[in-house]
Each structure stands twice: as structure tokens, then as C-alpha cells.
Amino acid sequence: MDTTLIKMVISTLNGVEVKGKDNLDRLLGCINALESVVTAAERREKEEAEHG
């Protein structure tokens, strides 16, 4: 899985200015979820490369 697009979205979200705790919580939740997807994909790619 190419994670470039997801990383670009994360970068964009990091630049979003928010107001209010609820909005901040939602934004952080989205960023954390996307980072988890990227981490899992990169781990899977590494394992596949190691095991052929």
C-alpha cells in the first residue's frame, strides 16, 4: 500500500487551525487513526520484504 496520500492528508490536518476542545479531539482522533493505518501498512511491507 502506498502511504504517500495518507501522509499528505496527515500533514494537511496538522496545519488545520481548530477552535474548541471537541473539534480538537476530533482532529487528533483522525490524525491518530491515519497514523495507525500508515504504521500498520509500513510494518506489513517490511515483513513482506523480509520474508520474500
Side-chain angles (χ1 to χ4, degrees), residues 14-33:
N14 277 325
V16 171
E17 192 172 319
V18 296
K19 295 180 181 178
K21 183 181 181 297
D22 290 340
N23 288 337
L24 180 60
D25 286 344
R26 290 183 187 110
L27 178 65
L28 289 174
C30 290
I31 292 171
N32 287 336

Side-chain angles (χ1 to χ4, degrees), residues 43-52:
R43 184 180 311 124
R44 197 167 34 251
E45 288 175 0
K46 182 179 177 183
E47 288 173 358
E48 288 174 0
E50 290 175 353
H51 296 9

